[in-house]
Amino acid sequence: MFKLEPRPQASAFWSIASPLLALAITVLIGVLLFVALDKDPVRGLQLFFWEPLKSRYALGELMVKATPLLLIALGLAVCFRSNVWNIGAEGQFILGAICAGGIALLAGKDTSRWIVLAILLAGVAGGMFWAGITAFLRDRFNANEILVSLMLVYVAVQLLVWLVFGPWKDPRGYNFPQTATFEAVTQIPRLMQGSRASIGLLIALAGVAVLWVFLFRTRAGFAQQVGGLAPAAARYAGFSSRKALWVALLASGGAAGLAGALEVAGPIGQLTPYVPAGYGFAAIIVAFVGRLHPVGMVFSAILMSMFYIGGELAQSRLGLPKSITGVFQGLLLFTLLACDTLLAWRIRRTGSRAAAPAGTATTTQGAA
């Protein structure tokens, strides 16, 4: 009855409508999931889509979750637009947190507030260093950046575990695997009283503006995208695909490292084995749902942070497992991939009237 027919060019309508359709399908599947688990679907959807928005405090928590997701997604967008597949932003996030935490642990009672700047720069440097390993191996040995960046995530996790169980372990922490709580002077400034949202949100929004200008209003941004997508054309135009690789990975790593620094010197306030929160992987979904566009990623980061908060509320109030957050994130990604088929293909109905003449001719020949 229906068939897929290739479009002459990608559909501008479905580039916007596809994420919305994917979200609607995700919600529908979520309702069926709540029913299958014998939970009130209305209550379940309320926890995911209303509770994170209903109060000033809830909005503050939403911004706390959205800030690292947006920052990491902005860096990943540079990579993906350059055809560089950085899947290890989680590891770069952890290294940024480790480096920032190392600087924060040096602070004392008389330390200046300027140490906050050093903490953020250390986070950026840590993330860039970890991404630089992937860039070097890809550039020097043509190693697959997907595998290298992904495997480095596990190395980063083990490094964090070694530090908090070993040399950085708080001697007064009752044997818990954690560092000492950072001094108040290292705390990232808050946006408002009674909320954990910090100036990291303003940094992320500034990053949105910077990335938009870089990608769409500068020659360097154009060269970056061409260098990744068409190396031969880039060389002909005088652009360097090698430079595009390094710029993409270092920018992505720096953004992820900055997110890690903001997280440990902000809401967490110390290093623990629970610093890895999956933001680096969830930001991949944020980037693609936002169409790799700086403004689109703002809305997709808010949506993904709603899934995080909704999952936590569903766990505490409905008794659902913690994995419900990952279920909704995965559903959104897979439904988006399915709906994106409509970007390059249109659905055509193959009516019975089209088949009628052939059948008629066959009957006529048989009668003859």
Side-chain angles (χ1 to χ4, degrees), residues 33-247:
L33 181 62
F34 285 128
V35 172
L37 295 173
D38 199 25
K39 305 295 182 181
D40 181 4
V42 175
R43 178 59 175 159
L45 293 179
Q46 183 183 18
L47 293 178
F48 276 89
F49 297 104
W50 169 242
E51 292 288 336
L53 305 172
K54 74 173 188 178
S55 67
R56 180 180 175 181
Y57 176 79
L59 288 173
E61 290 299 298
L62 190 69
M63 296 303 103
V64 168
K65 299 287 188 184
T67 297
L69 289 170
L70 178 57
L71 274 173
I72 299 172
L74 291 173
L76 289 176
V78 178
C79 275
F80 297 155
R81 281 182 172 269
S82 305
N83 201 30
V84 177
W85 296 95
N86 177 17
I87 310 299
E90 182 78 358
Q92 295 142 29
F93 173 87
I94 296 170
L95 253 291
I98 290 174
C99 293
I103 298 297
L105 288 171
L106 299 176
K109 299 294 184 183
D110 56 348
T111 302
S112 167
R113 283 288 285 170
W114 284 102
I115 195 174
V116 171
L117 180 59
I119 289 171
L120 297 181
L121 291 176
V124 173
M128 292 178 72
F129 168 75
W130 212 241
I133 298 175
T134 302
F136 172 76
L137 293 176
R138 163 71 187 275
D139 183 28
R140 182 68 177 82
F141 302 104
N142 199 30
N144 187 299
E145 73 272 17
I146 297 175
L147 295 177
V148 173
S149 60
L150 182 59
M151 291 301 101
L152 283 174
V153 173
Y154 301 100
V155 178
V157 170
Q158 294 306 314
L159 177 60
L160 173 64
V161 169
W162 173 70
L163 288 171
V164 298
F165 275 90
W168 288 4
K169 186 176 181 180
D170 183 8
R172 301 179 181 179
Y174 302 99
N175 208 34
F176 284 101
Q178 60 190 27
T179 65
T181 303
F182 301 154
E183 295 288 343
V185 72
T186 67
Q187 179 74 39
I188 304 296
R190 303 281 178 87
L191 280 180
M192 49 189 169
Q193 292 293 333
S195 171
R196 297 196 303 159
S198 70
I199 62 169
L201 175 62
L202 302 182
I203 296 174
L205 294 176
V208 170
V210 170
L211 182 60
W212 186 87
V213 172
F214 173 72
L215 289 178
F216 306 121
R217 289 295 182 271
T218 66
R219 181 180 183 274
F222 176 74
Q224 182 67 30
Q225 298 177 74
V226 174
L229 293 173
R235 286 193 298 270
Y236 181 79
F239 303 149
S240 171
S241 58
R242 183 183 181 190
K243 180 181 177 181
L245 168 71
W246 278 94
V247 168

Side-chain angles (χ1 to χ4, degrees), residues 3-7 344-348:
K3 70 174 182 178
L4 289 175
E5 179 181 281
R7 297 180 186 273
W345 300 79
R346 60 165 58 95
I347 299 175
R348 288 294 190 190

